[in-house]
Amino acid sequence: MASGNHTVVYLSEQVVVLFSCALSFVGSSLIILTYIIWSDLRTTPRRLLVYLSVSDWLSAVSYAFGVWSVFQTDSVDCIVQGAVSTFANTSSFFWTVAIAIYLYVFIVRSSQRVADSLELIFHLVSWGVPLIITVAAVSLNKIGYDASEVSVGWCWVRIHTPDRVLWMLLTGKIWEFLAYLTLPVLYILIKRHIHIAHAALSEYRPILAHRPPAHSFSSMADRKLTLIPVIFIVLRIWSTVRFILLLAGSPARQSPVLVTLHGIGNTSQGAANCIMFVLFTQPLRSRLCTTLCCCRSKCRAEVQHSHDTRHRLLPGQDASTLREEDSTSRAGTDR
């Protein structure tokens, strides 16, 4: 299972984490594609979600490469993979908090203008800070093989770096801890504001409190606001546990179960966001179902047409001849 300061990544763990990476890749891609395809979805909150999905997409790809490779040395591809995953993972933390801040300003402070004006700051912080940290870590030779001590096959902070705990904090953990604190507080304040506003509205307009659609949408939004910080913490807590166990020098950090949960948690953010903001969003889910049904109907029609064509062919007759005969027949009918 483990050898000294080296955590063995088993094939079963690789398979499970690679599957998680694939789901996150598909989920992040779906969020990005729906934003591109349907112009009416291009609101500021959805655009911020797309930026988060770009980070999650990069994380999924870089983590998958690392899990597939299970690096053993400080090779060039190990350093590149570690740098990309460090940047993408840290950026994902910032964008997750940025979305919470935007919703807080927009809903609680009731100022869309101020909320929209924050987008430039979000870009500077969520892309700029991770880039500066990653470039500094690579330049100082801090990124490389970490023996899967706080990873699952991929590269991160080099295991032989004397100040590796400091760099683990700078390249991810400190931002993770801040997100643990910030997200629940912001979403609790948002939920509290919504509940107070809904109670006041129900008091002055009692008829609205009994409308099933309004109640349904309110309940769905309320569940999403609850799930966002909960899912983030549930997914990320395993990497935090392994980090704490590393600081304590406990061999429990090398447990296959904990390693697997860490791998799934770190690579599932894109899939979780897709489930919440695409599959659990009724209008989007309806559009996707309609699109898929149309594609399947067209495919069935083409297959049926091809099948009918083959049965209508005479010996020695090809499909092009039959098409010419069909067009001639239709022309004769038109005349």
Side-chain angles (χ1 to χ4, degrees):
M1 178 173 65
S3 177
N5 288 331
H6 175 75
T7 300
V8 176
V9 179
Y10 295 112
L11 178 61
S12 58
E13 296 167 355
Q14 284 181 270
V15 171
V16 171
V17 178
L18 283 171
F19 181 70
S20 176
C21 289
L23 290 179
S24 199
F25 174 86
V26 172
S28 299
S29 299
L30 193 57
I31 291 174
I32 296 169
L33 286 175
T34 53
Y35 180 84
I36 294 173
I37 293 170
W38 292 307
S39 58
D40 58 310
L41 295 179
R42 295 170 193 168
T43 60
T44 302
R46 180 67 59 167
R47 186 163 61 250
L48 297 180
L49 180 62
V50 168
Y51 300 142
L52 171 60
S53 298
V54 171
S55 298
D56 292 334
W57 189 93
L58 282 174
S59 291
V61 172
S62 60
Y63 282 144
F65 181 70
V67 175
W68 177 269
S69 304
V70 188
F71 296 106
Q72 301 294 331
T73 59
D74 289 317
S75 57
V76 174
D77 50 349
C78 166
I79 295 172
V80 171
Q81 180 272 313
V84 173
S85 62
T86 296
F87 168 78
N89 197 44
T90 308
S91 179
S92 179
F93 293 151
F94 280 104
W95 279 117
T96 302
V97 175
I99 292 173
I101 293 173
Y102 178 90
L103 292 176
Y104 173 80
V105 174
F106 181 76
I107 296 172
V108 178
R109 298 301 180 186
S110 302
S111 178
Q112 182 176 355
R113 183 182 62 81
V114 175
D116 289 343
S117 68
L118 293 173
E119 186 174 349
L120 177 59
I121 298 174
F122 292 154
H123 278 290
L124 292 174
V125 173
S126 300
W127 300 125
V129 174
L131 182 62
I132 292 171
I133 292 172
T134 303
V135 169
V138 173
S139 301
L140 296 173
N141 201 27
K142 304 297 182 181
I143 300 294
Y145 173 63
D146 77 337
S148 296
E149 284 294 84
V150 197
S151 69
V152 187
W154 58 77
C155 293
W156 189 28
V157 177
R158 294 177 64 220
I159 189 171
H160 298 302
T161 299
D163 53 351
R164 64 174 181 154
V165 172
L166 172 63
W167 282 98
M168 284 179 177
L169 289 169
L170 288 175
T171 57
K173 291 304 168 188
I174 192 170
W175 316 115
E176 192 173 66
F177 291 141
L178 289 175
Y180 287 155
L181 297 174
T182 306
L183 290 176
V185 171
L186 288 174
Y187 282 110
I188 287 171
L189 291 174
I190 294 170
K191 281 168 61 73
R192 180 173 175 273
H193 178 83
I194 290 174
H195 289 165
I196 292 173
H198 188 270
L201 189 62
S202 300
E203 181 181 351
Y204 289 102
R205 297 181 182 177
I207 191 172
L208 293 179
H210 302 288
R211 284 187 178 180
H215 179 71
S216 175
F217 290 138
S218 175
S219 299
M220 177 60 73
D222 193 53
R223 284 197 296 270
K224 282 186 180 180
L225 289 174
T226 302
L227 286 174
I228 289 170
V230 169
I231 289 177
F232 179 85
I233 293 172
V234 168
L235 291 178
R236 295 289 180 173
I237 195 65
W238 310 110
S239 65
T240 304
V241 169
R242 286 193 73 201
F243 176 70
I244 293 172
L245 291 174
L246 174 69
L247 296 182
S250 172
R253 70 183 182 278
Q254 299 169 330
S255 164
V257 174
L258 189 56
V259 170
T260 302
L261 289 173
H262 176 190
I264 294 172
N266 267 42
T267 58
S268 295
Q269 192 66 50
N273 288 338
C274 179
I275 291 171
M276 277 195 298
F277 298 111
V278 176
L279 302 184
F280 279 5
T281 302
Q282 197 278 328
L284 265 179
R285 189 170 63 249
S286 299
R287 291 187 189 189
L288 287 174
C289 289
T290 302
T291 302
L292 290 174
C293 288
C294 288
C295 290
R296 284 163 55 187
S297 299
K298 288 180 181 178
C299 288
R300 281 198 298 267
E302 289 176 3
V303 170
Q304 185 64 36
H305 177 72
S306 176
H307 179 74
D308 293 343
T309 299
R310 282 197 302 272
H311 279 277
R312 290 167 57 193
L313 288 175
L314 297 174
Q317 184 183 31
D318 61 11
S320 61
T321 305
L322 183 62
R323 282 195 297 270
E324 290 176 3
E325 291 178 359
D326 286 344
S327 61
T328 303
S329 175
R330 283 194 298 271
T333 304
D334 293 339
R335 288 195 295 267

